[in-house]
Amino acid sequence: MSFVPGQPVTAVVQRIEIQKLRQGDKLILGFSIGGGIDQDPGQNPFSEDKTDKGIYVTRISPGGPADVANLRMGDKIMQVNGWDMTMVTHDQARKKLTKQKEDVVRLLITRKSLEETVRLQLKSMLS
Amino acid sequence: MEDDNWGETTTAITGTSEHSLSQEDIVRITKDLEDSVGLDCRRYFTRAVAVILGLLVFLTPLAFLTLPHILWPEKLQSCGTACEGLFISVAFKLLILLLAVWALYFRPARAGLPRVFVFRVLLAVLVFLLVVSYWLFYSVRILDSQDTNYQGVVQYAVSLVDALLFIHYLAVVLLELRQLQPCYSVCVTRSTDGATRHYNLGQLSIQRAALAVVENYYSDFPIHNPALLSASKSRAAKHLAGLKVYNVDGPGNNTSAGLVQSQSRAMIAAAARRRDTSHNELYYEEAEHERRVRKRKARLVVAVEEAFTHIKRMQDEEQKKAPGDVMDPREAAQAIFPSMARALQKYLRTTKQQHCHSMESIQQHLAFCITNNMTPKAFLESFLTPGPSLQYSRDHWRARQWTLVSEASVTSGLKDGTTFLLKCVDFSLVATSKKIPYIQMSEEYIDPKSHKFVLRLQSETSV
């Protein structure tokens, strides 16, 4: 998941589709995000590389739409509905996630355990 | 048969009004007469001494120069060029000395202080001693021996004038420059309503510090208004008026001092225990008064603004065209005054300022504001906030007789913790001096390139 500035990022991603829940007059997703290019990356507890300014999931409300869709705490969000999330400010990320006209968001997320799973699978497939 | 009701009558203490001064006025006038005789005597005496000293100082060098010519003209050596050059020097130095003395001493006296001004006396004695010693030397060594070296005599006269100029320099430093550097901070409080101001003074004697305080009082302190103090006096009277003390132990049990003490203690205890609702009354009264003042003020502002729209300044071109019904400022003021008079009078009555402003002074102020193109708000400002005593008519400066009350001698210098009192007829000013502390300042250099910042935020938003 580490990136070199100027080089394309390669990562193993998982597609997660979350249906927004209507609460009052708002559509909510049931998780909290942290990070962004305008934030301090050193304080992110979930990132491996402390210079990574991407958007991370910091909290999942239990039983909410994100929990149901298998989003985990510590996931890094790479894309939301096709919009890139690796080089956005915190506020831009929030806006892309909370568009009131859409009631479903398709996320591309990555986590460390994914890469390890894929590597193990490859090893077991090849061996 | 004893009258059952004789103990029920309570006496109420009324506040003194400012018109009940007739007895004190008489006392004051007689005291004024006595003082003026004493003061005038002292003033004339000091003036006479100063004139004599001045004449002595100016005529002495001239006398030194002319006496040899008068007494032994034949024996005298003729004056060469260097000697005549010294004449010019003497003339100009005397002129400079004359101008300097005029600048420093010939100023109208600001005040009459209770004791003599120590530095001035010292300097006068010094000058006198200098001149006397020069005369002594001159009479012994030059007049008696009839010295023929005229250049020496002229140089002697020049040295006298130089010494006088140096004494004048000493006078400037002692009298004017020494007290310029602020050394003490004096806190002045008015005893009747607690108005407080702070002044920075240098090293002065107590009487000169008191003079500085009084001069600043007239321009800084809001005017003393006795009408505003009557409310607290009546409240104080009501506190103890309702209590009566009975002595049930019978007469002769205690000494009179012990009796009075136990009586007052009983009264204090009873007053503390009584459920007092006067704070409630005060609160509601003040709220009501505030509301009334604001209402009257609103009416006044509207009336004045409307009155000011009735007149218009005439331009120069118009002045030539229409000479009819043209008014000068006083007449214009008189014309628009009636429309605002009632609102103004009601407002002054509500804020208890009506004795500070007379009709004449209000109209004068209005004419002044009209002449100088002031807005209605500028005209009203002197009525809405009580200004310093300077702002009002001359009879509000009537406390020109001040008494300095001090435990230390009034010619001693100010020290840390000196307290003195300035009493005048209606109130007194309490002054306390504190020394301005020694300030130790150190420097710290910051490189302009060292200002760097990082983001500290890690905000978390729930979606």
Side-chain angles (χ1 to χ4, degrees):
Chain A
M1 272 200 299
S2 58
F3 67 95
V4 176
Q7 302 297 318
V9 174
T10 50
V12 183
V13 293
Q14 180 181 354
R15 233 177 274 249
I16 290 190
E17 192 173 298
I18 309 183
Q19 298 284 340
K20 289 196 187 179
L21 178 67
R22 181 160 290 276
Q23 202 181 66
D25 56 346
K26 291 198 309 190
L27 288 167
I28 62 157
L29 286 162
F31 66 95
S32 299
I33 54 164
I37 54 176
D38 58 340
Q39 307 283 314
D40 182 3
Q43 294 193 19
N44 193 341
F46 304 109
S47 59
E48 259 183 33
D49 180 5
K50 287 303 171 188
T51 61
D52 185 4
K53 293 187 174 178
I55 306 290
Y56 282 79
V57 175
T58 53
R59 203 172 50 85
I60 310 261
S61 38
D67 198 18
V68 163
N70 276 327
L71 193 64
R72 307 269 168 76
M73 197 165 77
D75 291 351
K76 176 175 171 180
I77 303 179
M78 309 292 279
Q79 264 189 21
V80 170
N81 282 345
W83 294 101
D84 171 57
M85 287 279 127
T86 55
M87 275 287 136
V88 289
T89 66
H90 189 89
D91 209 40
Q92 283 170 343
R94 178 193 60 85
K95 281 190 190 149
K96 292 289 183 280
L97 282 165
T98 53
K99 282 200 183 323
Q100 294 295 308
K101 295 217 183 100
E102 306 164 348
D103 53 358
V104 61
V105 288
R106 293 184 180 84
L107 309 176
L108 281 181
I109 57 110
T110 181
R111 56 177 88 100
K112 203 161 107 168
S113 53
L114 274 180
E115 274 208 37
E116 282 182 16
T117 317
V118 166
R119 226 180 319 123
L120 282 173
Q121 288 272 16
L122 271 177
K123 253 211 296 212
S124 69
M125 267 177 30
L126 292 172
S127 61
Chain B
M1 172 99 145
E2 270 184 1
D3 181 6
D4 276 339
N5 291 334
W6 78 267
E8 300 295 352
T9 52
T10 54
T11 47
I13 305 164
T14 52
T16 51
S17 77
E18 68 266 26
H19 296 299
S20 65
L21 285 177
S22 51
Q23 180 67 11
E24 288 164 83
D25 256 337
I26 296 174
V27 168
R28 210 187 329 152
I29 289 174
T30 45
K31 194 162 168 299
D32 267 348
L33 278 175
E34 285 174 341
D35 279 342
S36 64
V37 167
L39 220 61
D40 275 351
C41 237
R42 227 180 69 186
R43 227 183 284 168
Y44 285 138
F45 178 67
T46 25
R47 205 165 281 185
V49 165
V51 166
I52 291 174
L53 205 59
L55 282 175
L56 195 68
V57 157
F58 280 108
L59 296 181
T60 303
L62 302 175
F64 284 179
L65 290 175
T66 51
L67 277 176
H69 274 295
I70 298 173
L71 294 178
W72 61 95
E74 336 73 38
K75 288 202 273 178
L76 213 51
Q77 286 176 2
S78 70
C79 199
T81 38
C83 173
E84 279 166 7
L86 287 175
F87 277 150
I88 299 180
S89 157
V90 166
F92 271 99
K93 281 184 183 160
L94 272 181
L95 179 68
I96 290 173
L97 191 61
L98 185 70
L99 284 176
V101 163
W102 170 82
L104 195 60
Y105 297 115
F106 278 63
R107 290 185 285 195
R110 281 148 62 200
L113 295 176
R115 298 268 176 94
V116 291
F117 197 164
V118 173
F119 280 143
R120 282 204 188 180
V121 167
L122 268 172
L123 285 166
V125 166
L126 191 64
V127 166
F128 184 68
L129 282 177
L130 178 80
V131 172
V132 162
S133 59
Y134 262 74
W135 267 112
L136 270 174
F137 188 85
Y138 186 77
S139 54
V140 166
R141 297 292 284 276
I142 298 184
L143 283 182
D144 276 354
S145 63
Q146 301 215 333
D147 194 357
T148 56
N149 181 7
Y150 192 57
Q151 184 160 355
V153 173
V154 177
Q155 272 175 340
Y156 185 69
V158 172
S159 80
L160 171 64
V161 183
D162 283 342
L164 286 171
L165 277 174
F166 283 132
I167 290 189
H168 187 81
Y169 157 75
L170 181 67
V172 168
V173 164
L174 278 183
L175 297 180
E176 305 286 316
L177 292 183
R178 189 167 167 263
Q179 74 261 25
L180 288 182
Q181 191 181 47
C183 222
Y184 296 99
S185 175
V186 177
C187 170
V188 185
T189 315
R190 188 159 55 186
S191 65
T192 47
D193 59 354
T196 308
R197 295 285 184 280
H198 297 265
Y199 301 114
N200 278 359
L201 298 175
Q203 278 168 326
L204 292 170
S205 60
I206 291 186
Q207 60 179 3
R208 284 174 79 196
L211 179 66
V213 163
V214 171
E215 286 179 344
N216 283 328
Y217 166 79
Y218 282 121
S219 58
D220 285 340
F221 276 71
I223 188 160
H224 171 250
N225 199 345
L228 295 172
L229 309 163
S230 52
S232 58
K233 282 194 195 152
S234 58
R235 271 203 303 276
K238 271 198 282 183
H239 279 311
L240 296 175
L243 297 171
K244 297 176 286 285
V245 179
Y246 297 101
N247 187 5
V248 291
D249 291 331
N253 267 356
N254 305 331
T255 61
S256 60
L259 191 67
V260 165
Q261 228 184 23
S262 59
Q263 260 188 4
S264 51
R265 247 182 267 148
M267 282 179 91
I268 293 172
R273 252 179 271 129
R274 179 173 64 174
R275 242 182 313 135
D276 199 355
T277 51
S278 58
H279 59 275
N280 233 357
E281 288 171 19
L282 175 62
Y283 170 72
Y284 283 115
E285 210 178 280
E286 282 202 343
E288 181 60 36
H289 178 78
E290 181 87 356
R291 206 179 62 87
R292 232 181 302 144
V293 165
R294 261 189 262 159
K295 225 196 221 178
R296 291 269 163 92
K297 179 177 159 181
R299 284 205 193 128
L300 174 64
V301 167
V302 164
V304 169
E305 282 175 358
E306 211 192 295
F308 266 66
T309 58
H310 291 322
I311 52 166
K312 186 174 82 99
R313 176 174 277 264
M314 229 172 63
Q315 308 302 324
D316 286 333
E317 315 81 53
E318 293 173 32
Q319 261 180 28
K320 296 176 201 130
K321 280 193 284 182
D325 206 12
V326 170
M327 300 182 281
D328 70 355
R330 236 180 71 83
E331 290 162 4
Q334 273 171 347
I336 62 173
F337 181 63
S339 55
M340 65 168 93
R342 198 151 164 268
L344 185 61
Q345 203 179 36
K346 281 205 163 143
Y347 179 80
L348 289 178
R349 279 238 182 92
T350 313
T351 52
K352 301 201 176 85
Q353 282 179 334
Q354 71 270 23
H355 59 273
C356 298
H357 299 101
S358 66
M359 282 270 275
E360 186 54 45
S361 74
I362 298 176
Q363 281 185 350
Q364 250 175 12
H365 183 59
L366 184 55
F368 176 75
C369 290
I370 294 176
T371 319
N372 292 308
N373 287 328
M374 291 198 198
T375 59
K377 189 165 189 294
F379 163 69
L380 277 177
E381 194 57 32
S382 72
F383 302 109
L384 295 178
T385 42
S389 312
L390 281 182
Q391 202 177 316
Y392 300 90
S393 56
R394 275 224 91 90
D395 54 312
H396 282 279
W397 298 36
R398 58 183 165 217
R400 267 174 298 140
Q401 178 82 356
W402 294 83
T403 312
L404 176 56
V405 177
S406 156
E407 286 160 20
S409 154
V410 298
T411 46
S412 64
L414 271 186
K415 286 194 250 302
D416 186 29
T418 311
T419 314
F420 56 89
L421 207 73
L422 280 159
K423 272 207 294 217
C424 89
V425 179
D426 305 314
F427 55 88
S428 52
L429 295 174
V430 183
T432 321
S433 78
K434 289 197 184 42
K435 196 167 160 63
I436 295 180
Y438 177 72
I439 297 171
Q440 175 70 14
M441 218 180 283
S442 55
E443 70 156 298
E444 185 184 323
Y445 173 69
I446 293 187
D447 183 9
K449 291 206 259 290
S450 70
H451 298 295
K452 299 267 183 257
F453 293 91
V454 287
L455 290 169
R456 217 165 60 90
L457 309 171
Q458 181 65 15
S459 41
E460 192 184 326
T461 322
S462 59
V463 292

